[in-house]
Amino acid sequence: MQIIHTDRHRLRASKTELSGGLLVPPFECPERVEHILAELDRRGHTDIVEPQDFGLDPIRRVHDADFVDFLKTCWAEWQAAGFEGEAIASSWPSRRMPRMTPPRHIDGRIGYYCLACETSISEGTWEAAYAAAQVALTGAKRIGQGARAAFSLCRPPGHHAAQDMFGGYCFLNNAAIAAQAMRDGGAARVAVRDVDFHHGNGTQAIFYDREDVLFLSLHGDPMDAFPYFLGGSDETGAGAGQGFTVNYPLPPGCPYSTWVEALEDALGKIAAYGADALVISLGVDTFERDPISFFKLTSDDFTDYGARLARLGLPTLFVMEGGYAVAEIGVNTVNVLDGFGEG
């Protein structure tokens, strides 16, 4: 399986996350990728290539142009305003504030574009996010050229990023950018299957009113888990997209037997949809010892569901999402890929 990756992910090395009322080192950190690379190398997956640079146009096919410009300039503007720490939102346009335009001052503008304040913006954030999008786009190109599968080892992740919103460690929606590139490259229908523990709210928002991209997310119930305000089973799409969003919210302590039952239902829907290609938002934070999640998958379970994904027989792009810096992130990620390869 072709693997696409760049060391430019290291440029995203934020020092600050708000968690449990404390400022702590971020769970989303460069070490995550080191665990995955080490396991890939240990198992002989050495076909790793640098991404091509496709520029901003495919990013703007998914994201609002003003939002992209904000991400590019936020850190410089934050510093110019005299703030000493990393850029963290402190105010948002809430339900009782009808004025929905981005303020001039960076302290207000970051809140306008922010989903959640756990995610700071620091030096190198834009450069790493841009590089991650190119990793995803390179994977999409390989699929368009006839590859059975490819793995875009993206960091930072992307599935919480909406058209004009960042948060949940995500800035640009790598999976959505790849899916749109597949559509633009000739795929009539694309399915995006999100297996991250957290709901792919950004991907859902991007494709919610479209019938050419089927989005399915299997995640912790938003009554109990971030991002809290999206991901219910009653969210099924709008307009032309009605019926083309499918959510599977699952409870705390969910075992693999329950999880895989939902997965099989989703695979049946993908097969019925008639997709030309499949994008997997590959979060492995469903693992039983992940520090910020509550599902109970074991390492062997990742191999099993990788094989189940392969049985669809679709050209498949894996795009890395969550799974936090426990050593098993590498084992579990490569288990999915190897399970797919053997399936």
Side-chain angles (χ1 to χ4, degrees):
M1 182 183 298
Q2 180 81 86
I3 300 162
I4 305 98
H5 174 62
T6 174
D7 280 345
R8 290 180 67 79
H9 81 90
R10 293 174 175 272
L11 295 171
R12 168 67 181 168
S14 179
K15 301 297 187 289
T16 311
E17 176 176 338
L18 180 62
S19 176
L22 300 174
L23 293 176
V24 302
F27 291 99
E28 202 293 294
C29 57
E31 289 78 13
R32 298 175 59 238
V33 170
E34 300 311 314
H35 289 308
I36 297 169
L37 289 172
E39 187 67 17
L40 286 167
D41 183 69
R42 190 182 75 80
R43 299 201 210 175
H45 294 282
T46 57
D47 186 14
I48 301 177
V49 300
E50 287 284 323
Q52 294 177 242
D53 191 336
F54 296 87
L56 284 172
D57 285 347
I59 294 172
R60 293 190 182 117
R61 291 282 289 141
V62 164
H63 289 289
D64 178 79
D66 288 342
F67 171 67
V68 173
D69 290 343
F70 158 78
L71 289 176
K72 290 170 63 177
T73 62
C74 176
W75 178 242
E77 289 188 61
W78 184 263
Q79 288 186 301
F83 296 116
E84 296 183 14
E86 295 178 331
I88 301 176
S90 60
S91 60
W92 294 266
S94 73
R95 290 174 295 148
R96 298 291 184 262
M97 295 181 178
R99 181 175 176 176
M100 297 293 286
T101 55
R104 278 191 300 271
H105 196 280
I106 188 61
D107 189 35
R109 199 153 72 256
I110 190 172
Y112 176 83
Y113 287 118
C114 186
L115 164 68
C117 65
E118 89 289 89
T119 302
S120 63
I121 289 180
S122 57
E123 184 176 6
T125 294
W126 163 252
E127 290 80 4
Y130 177 86
Q134 305 308 316
V135 169
L137 286 164
T138 303
K141 182 176 180 179
R142 296 300 170 94
I143 297 299
Q145 291 173 333
R148 174 181 181 244
F151 176 37
S152 289
L153 180 45
C154 297
R155 181 183 171 269
H159 72 148
H160 293 307
Q163 297 94 323
D164 58 354
M165 187 181 299
F166 77 93
Y169 312 136
C170 302
F171 304 94
L172 297 173
N173 194 313
N174 306 310
I177 291 167
Q180 183 63 53
M182 289 174 172
R183 284 284 295 110
D184 292 340
R189 288 186 160 197
V190 177
V192 179
R193 182 74 187 93
D194 194 320
V195 294
D196 189 280
F197 168 78
H198 302 94
H199 178 244
N201 62 285
T203 315
Q204 173 172 304
I206 288 165
F207 297 121
Y208 202 62
D209 60 355
R210 291 172 53 173
E211 61 184 345
D212 58 335
V213 178
L214 174 67
F215 173 70
L216 311 97
S217 181
L218 202 168
H219 52 269
D221 193 318
M223 292 298 290
D224 302 299
F226 182 91
Y228 298 113
F229 303 105
L230 276 179
S233 57
D234 58 338
E235 298 160 23
T236 58
Q242 180 62 50
F244 296 99
T245 290
V246 186
N247 285 307
Y248 299 87
L250 296 171
C254 177
Y256 185 60
S257 58
T258 301
W259 191 93
V260 78
E261 191 175 301
L263 177 71
E264 286 293 342
D265 186 82
L267 297 181
K269 286 180 168 57
I270 293 169
Y273 179 64
D276 298 306
L278 175 64
V279 177
I280 301 294
S281 272
L282 182 58
V284 296
D285 45 359
T286 49
F287 181 57
E288 60 185 346
R289 291 194 292 278
D290 189 274
I292 60 173
S293 308
F294 57 58
F295 286 171
K296 299 300 179 183
L297 275 64
T298 67
S299 291
D300 288 345
D301 296 332
F302 291 90
T303 306
D304 180 72
Y305 86 65
R308 292 171 187 264
L309 293 172
R311 291 169 199 157
L312 280 173
L314 291 173
T316 301
L317 175 63
F318 293 89
V319 176
M320 195 68 208
E321 301 285 3
Y324 298 98
V326 293
E328 291 91 344
I329 185 178
V331 172
N332 297 337
T333 299
V334 183
N335 279 359
V336 175
L337 304 180
D338 282 354
F340 184 91
E342 297 165 4

